Structure formats: structure tokens, C-alpha cells
Amino acid sequence: MANDTTAAARSAAPATSENPSTPEIPSTPETPSTSGRLPLLALLALATAVFVTSLTETLPAGVLPGMSADLGVGEAAMGQAVTVYALGTALTAVPLAARTAAWRRKRLLLTSVAGFAAANTVTAVSSSYALTMGARFLAGVAAGVAWALLAGYARRIAPPHLQGRAVAVAMTGIPLALSLGVPAGTFLGEAVGWRVAFTAMTVIAVALLGWIALAVPDLPGEAQGGRAPVARTLRVPGVLPVLAVTFTLVLAHTVLYTYVAAYLGHRGLAGSTGLVLLVFGAASLAGIWFTGRHIDRRLRILTLAGTVLVAVAAAVLAVPAGGTALVLTAAAFWGFGWGGAPTLLQTAVADAGGEHADTAQTLLVSLWNAAMAGGGIAGGVLLDALGAGALSWSVLVLLVPVVALVAGARAHGFPARPATRR
């Protein structure tokens, strides 16, 4: 999740009558395309990297019973595999981004994908709970590198007027992982064992290494000393509101999503969990498609509308009565509202950060994963203390400040007028 639009403008600006001294640079693996069209093959490779990142994080939830039995620990302990992954990302994203700022972008992306291949391989063969958790932490570290990079990479290889759409294409990997990857991994785990599911993730990562090497343009890293300090970035108008919205919105989503199976069991709909997640994932795909179509002109409206849709879904789920049809309707609202959130927030923080966009993007990655870890813990506390019915009400409470923050950041962060990108 990082970028540098100023550097992109310098490296990709074509010759024009207003800029006659800039020679036209042919599109090569070393330079972004200047054709005015999206480089779809490269963006789809980035989307696959997002898919690998998201599925590696969430796959343990689908194969939890098998992992728990094989490693000889309880399901609650095994469930911490997701928390450890998120902590690995939250704790290392900022320092690693600073240490690797000067690396060329393709080298850094290949390194992170290789990290996923190694971590999933260790997970697949491990017979030790401690070793498995160590591998999950390593996967989280690789995710921190990837998330601090992917959105910015997508923006920098796209024409300026299509940067938001480029991020939307790359982010399709998230709903695809949720709607197709997790169910497929769960089925594979039940049919032939959870270790095969993680081995399949390694195979995908290795194939992706070749795809990236062939299709993704290389871009330079930052000049020595080019990355802004965290304190200076936080003082840039608009950055802090976007980060606050990110943390609170992700926290609200995670509180309910992590324990959706428990919530559905509370409603007497335990057998519908797969269907509900499928509807959520399909609606997320529709949401990210819609976001990609309009983000470059209506980022503020889309952010407000998406938050309101998630709130409507939470309100519907808070109603104690109602059967499967009502829950599926709520899942559709939730998915459509949530689907575009990663794209919207990454674009907002990059636009707000300006020349400090890389650092702002890295801070967003850390807060996003801290919110995921916090949501898992907070949801568990709510579940034990107040029961599953409290989960949807907590989402509603958390979304109130999100709407207020987005509405208030009219000048910076979520501006009323579209950002001007060069």
C-alpha cells in the first residue's frame, strides 16, 4: 500500500507542447507506459500479489480445525495464526519501508513474494506450533513489505488520470481472496488436508515470481534521504484524518467479520456461513468495480456512501428477528460498501501525502493491520462478555466517528473537489 506521484510524473511525463524539452520515452520494462491506457497485464500481476497476500492471511480461518488437530493445540490458540500475521505486518511495515526505500521496486516486490513462498512452505511442512507461528509472523513481515508497495506501484505505472482505477484493478485481489480463495482453500483442506492448501499457495507464489519478472515494469526507489520522517508526514494536512478513518473503519469491519460464523450460529444460521461469505465476496467485487469506475472524480462521496452502506448492514444484522434472506441482504450491503474501502483509503492517503506519499502509505499499512489485530481481540472480548449480538452494535458505534471524520475532512483528506495529479 505506497507511492510517489511526483517521481512518477518525472519518470513518465511524455513530451508535449508545454514541455518540449522532455524527450518521449518508449515504454519498456524500465519505464511506465505513456500510452494513456492501463497496463493491464502488469496490474493483474499486482492483483495476484494482493490475492496471495490476502489469502495467506485468511486461509487459517478456513482450515482451523485441521491445523488445530495436527499441531495439538486448541482452536482458540490456532486462531492466533491470523493475529500473529497481522502483528508481523503492523510492527515491521514502517521500519522495513524505511530500510528498503532505495531498493528498486521490482526487486522489492519479488523479495516480498518470495517471502510468502517461503513462509507458506514452512507452514505446510511444520509439525510444531511454535515453528508454524514463526512462519506466520514471517508471512506478516512479507505482507508489510508488499502492502507498503503495491498501491503505489499500481499508481506509478498508470497514466495520472487513471491512477485511482489502476489501484482498483490491483485491489481486486482482496475480494477474490475472500469470495473464491478462502472457500476453495477450505474445500481443498477438507478434501486432501490443510497442508496441501498451503502448498498450493506456495505454487501460486512461485508462478507469480515469473509473471512479475516478465510483465511488471521496474521503477527506481527513492533517493538517499528521500523518505519523510513519520512526524513530518503526520503534519501534512489531510494525512491524519485519513489514517484515523482507516483505523476505525477497519476495526469496525474486523470485529464482525472475524466472528461472523459465531454471529450466524447465534442467529441459528450456522449452516449458511459459506453462502453469506460468498454473497459478501461477490458484492465486494461489485463494490470495487464501481469504485474503480468513479474514484478519480468522486472519492469523497464514495467513501461516505460505502461507510453508510456498512452501517446499514450492521443495523440490519442488529435486528434480532429475520431469516436467511435478511442476513444475505445485509451481507450484500456490507460487501458492496466495504469492497472499495482499500482502494479509497490508499488513494486518499497518497493524494493527501503528496511528496510524502510513500511514508503516509506505510503508516496506513501499519494502522490497517493494527486495527485487524485489535478487531480480532476486541471482537473476542465482546463475544465472551456480551454475546454475538453485541458485535453488530459495536460496528454501528464505531462507524459514527468515521462518518464525522470523512465529512469534516472536506478541505484535505477527503476533499470535495478531485485531487489534481501529475
Side-chain angles (χ1 to χ4, degrees):
M1 299 181 178
N3 98 84
D4 184 347
T5 53
T6 304
R10 288 197 297 267
S11 64
T16 67
S17 58
E18 296 178 344
N19 188 19
S21 63
T22 304
E24 185 170 353
I25 303 173
S27 177
T28 70
E30 187 71 17
T31 59
S33 171
T34 60
S35 66
R37 296 191 299 267
L38 289 177
L40 281 178
L41 193 60
L43 288 174
L44 290 175
L46 299 184
T48 305
V50 171
F51 175 87
V52 169
T53 304
S54 300
L55 186 53
T56 298
E57 179 171 22
T58 54
L59 184 57
V63 294
L64 197 62
M67 293 184 74
S68 173
D70 275 6
L71 297 178
V73 297
E75 290 191 7
M78 199 67 251
Q80 299 311 305
V82 177
T83 302
V84 165
Y85 180 105
L87 286 174
T89 303
L91 294 174
T92 62
V94 172
L96 276 179
R99 293 290 297 271
T100 59
W103 287 29
R104 296 193 68 84
R105 301 295 90 181
K106 181 183 282 192
R107 175 191 173 194
L108 189 56
L109 180 58
L110 289 170
T111 300
S112 70
V113 175
F116 283 112
N120 284 323
T121 299
V122 172
T123 302
V125 302
S126 172
S127 59
S128 161
Y129 176 73
L131 179 60
T132 300
M133 298 302 273
R136 293 293 298 169
F137 187 85
L138 172 62
V141 173
V145 173
W147 280 125
L149 172 71
L150 286 165
Y153 214 146
R155 285 168 63 97
R156 290 178 65 180
I157 64 177
H161 67 289
L162 294 176
Q163 287 179 349
R165 189 171 299 181
V167 175
V169 172
M171 291 303 112
T172 54
I174 296 175
L176 282 173
L178 296 176
S179 61
L180 299 178
V182 173
T186 302
F187 173 80
L188 193 62
E190 292 174 349
V192 291
W194 64 271
R195 297 183 186 278
V196 177
F198 278 98
T199 301
M201 291 299 300
T202 297
V203 172
I204 294 172
V206 170
L208 179 59
L209 288 171
W211 187 356
I212 292 169
L214 293 173
V216 177
D218 195 9
L219 294 171
E222 300 174 32
Q224 188 70 26
R227 182 170 288 268
V230 169
R232 187 192 310 164
T233 303
L234 291 175
R235 290 195 295 269
V236 175
V239 169
L240 204 53
V242 177
L243 294 178
V245 166
T246 298
F247 182 84
T248 312
L249 183 59
V250 174
L251 182 67
H253 165 78
T254 308
V255 162
L256 183 56
Y257 187 83
T258 303
Y259 298 97
V260 67
Y263 167 81
L264 292 172
H266 165 74
R267 293 285 295 262
L269 300 172
S272 301
T273 302
L275 179 59
V276 169
L277 291 177
L278 181 62
V279 169
F280 172 86
S284 295
L285 280 173
I288 201 169
W289 171 82
F290 188 83
T291 297
R293 297 281 296 177
H294 301 286
I295 186 173
D296 291 301
R297 290 174 290 126
R298 297 185 176 89
L299 184 146
R300 174 184 175 81
I301 293 174
L302 289 171
T303 307
L304 283 169
T307 304
V308 170
L309 274 178
V310 176
V312 169
V316 172
L317 293 174
V319 176
T324 304
L326 190 65
V327 171
L328 291 175
T329 301
F333 285 160
W334 183 12
F336 194 81
W338 173 257
T343 303
L344 291 165
L345 295 171
Q346 290 166 47
T347 302
V349 84
D351 288 344
E355 63 182 14
H356 303 324
D358 284 311
T359 304
Q361 200 82 53
T362 306
L363 290 170
L364 184 142
V365 172
S366 293
L367 282 175
W368 186 291
N369 285 275
M372 289 186 65
I377 295 169
V381 171
L382 283 169
L383 189 64
D384 288 340
L386 301 175
L391 297 173
S392 52
W393 286 109
S394 68
V395 173
L396 280 173
V397 171
L398 287 167
L399 291 181
V400 171
V402 172
V403 173
L405 284 165
V406 176
R410 187 179 183 86
H412 303 285
F414 300 95
R417 293 183 179 181
T420 300
R421 305 185 187 120
R422 294 187 178 91

